[in-house]
Amino acid sequence: MISAIVNVILGMFSGAGVAGIFANLVKEALLALVMKIEWKVVIERATTRIVVAGLHRLASLSTNSLLTETVEDFVNQLQSKGLKKANQTYESAKKYRPT
């Protein structure tokens, strides 16, 4: 899909000349960057950050009985399973605690 979009954009350049060579260089560089990304890691980290921030927000509300210690235990369990960004997300969520 990305390749098709890039091909459409580059379609306005001819294959010959400096513009075509530069366009092909940019196309190959962008495709190499996109294909090199490990999307499972990106999705895992994003999901971890959303869950931890949501739990911290939920614990800070006064309408429930979720304790901060419970959230901290959950974050520690996530870290023990290899999700190293869980504690970092929790610490930054504590800085921006709603009042």
Side-chain angles (χ1 to χ4, degrees):
M1 181 172 136
I2 295 172
S3 180
I5 294 170
V6 171
N7 285 333
V8 168
I9 292 171
L10 296 178
M12 61 185 125
F13 293 108
S14 66
V18 176
I21 292 171
F22 181 72
N24 283 332
L25 175 69
V26 170
K27 171 188 163 189
E28 293 299 323
L30 289 175
L31 285 175
L33 286 173
V34 169
M35 300 308 275
K36 194 173 189 175
I37 294 174
E38 293 186 36
W39 290 104
K40 287 183 181 181
V41 174
V42 172
I43 292 169
E44 177 184 285
R45 286 186 178 182
T47 305
T48 301
R49 288 178 174 140
I50 290 168
V51 167
V52 170
L55 284 172
H56 178 72
R57 175 75 174 123
L58 187 61
S60 68
L61 297 175
S62 62
T63 58
N64 63 63
S65 61
L66 180 66
L67 299 174
T68 305
E69 293 83 20
T70 307
V71 176
E72 289 173 358
D73 286 341
F74 185 75
V75 169
N76 289 334
Q77 286 181 7
L78 287 176
Q79 275 190 304
S80 70
K81 299 296 181 188
L83 298 171
K84 297 180 183 357
K85 296 292 181 182
N87 193 37
Q88 179 184 0
T89 303
Y90 181 68
E91 292 300 323
S92 56
K94 282 172 44 177
K95 289 180 188 175
Y96 301 108
R97 186 177 198 162
T99 56

